[in-house]
Amino acid sequence: MSKTALSAGPPSIANPRAPRRPTPRRSNFELYSWLFMRISGLALVILVLGHLLIMNILDGGVHRINWGFVAGRWASPFWQFWDLSMLWLAEIHGGNGLRTIIDDYARKDSTRFWLKIVLYVSMVLILAVGTMVIFTFDPNMPAD
């Protein structure tokens, strides 16, 4: 062997003949979804425990809850925002969890598609009706 053959280094291997594929672009949707579930879960614990404490334990408990109590509570923008936050976070948190379950357990793409359509339509309807009730509630309406 000659000196030049030894000093050239190891032989290089040619690239395989398979075509080069572009690197797939990954979305961070699942990461943000996972993060949202943790943050919204923590916020929901605070909102729901506060709701249960106020509605069921303090000042006589559930016996005082009637039309007048709800009317007085929703006359305040603070309590409207509290209940609206609880509604939106619970609905989106639960819908996101169901979306994950549908992705995990629906075997056919068509089944997965239609289950998600039903989920999204129901989420939009519930959020729309709940938001409308909170904002259009008239505390001066008689409690007949």
Side-chain angles (χ1 to χ4, degrees):
M1 251 189 185
S2 69
K3 278 185 166 179
T4 58
L6 291 176
S7 64
S12 64
I13 298 174
N15 289 334
R17 293 181 189 205
R20 231 177 162 178
R21 294 183 193 146
T23 307
R25 295 186 185 259
R26 294 186 57 193
S27 169
N28 285 332
F29 177 75
E30 290 299 328
L31 171 66
Y32 295 137
S33 173
W34 180 86
L35 190 61
F36 170 77
M37 291 297 275
R38 273 47 186 186
I39 294 169
S40 67
L42 182 62
L44 278 169
V45 166
I46 295 166
L47 289 169
V48 170
L49 287 179
H51 178 81
L52 290 173
L53 180 71
I54 291 164
M55 300 297 276
N56 298 332
I57 297 172
L58 297 179
D59 293 333
V62 296
H63 301 293
R64 69 187 162 95
I65 298 175
N66 57 19
W67 176 269
F69 178 79
V70 174
R73 182 177 159 113
W74 278 357
S76 165
F78 175 79
W79 291 117
Q80 283 182 329
F81 179 75
W82 184 286
D83 288 345
L84 186 70
S85 299
M86 204 166 34
L87 169 71
W88 276 76
L89 283 175
E91 184 68 32
I92 296 172
H93 183 94
N96 191 26
L98 280 174
R99 180 194 58 82
T100 304
I101 290 170
I102 289 169
D103 283 341
D104 287 347
Y105 290 105
R107 294 178 187 249
K108 292 170 42 178
D109 287 339
S110 61
T111 304
R112 188 176 304 116
F113 172 79
W114 286 111
L115 286 173
K116 283 185 178 181
I117 291 296
V118 170
L119 172 65
Y120 297 147
V121 167
S122 66
M123 285 176 64
V124 167
L125 287 174
I126 290 170
L127 284 174
V129 170
T131 302
M132 185 181 72
V133 166
I134 290 174
F135 284 127
T136 62
F137 183 79
D138 183 12
N140 299 319
M141 192 165 103
D144 291 332

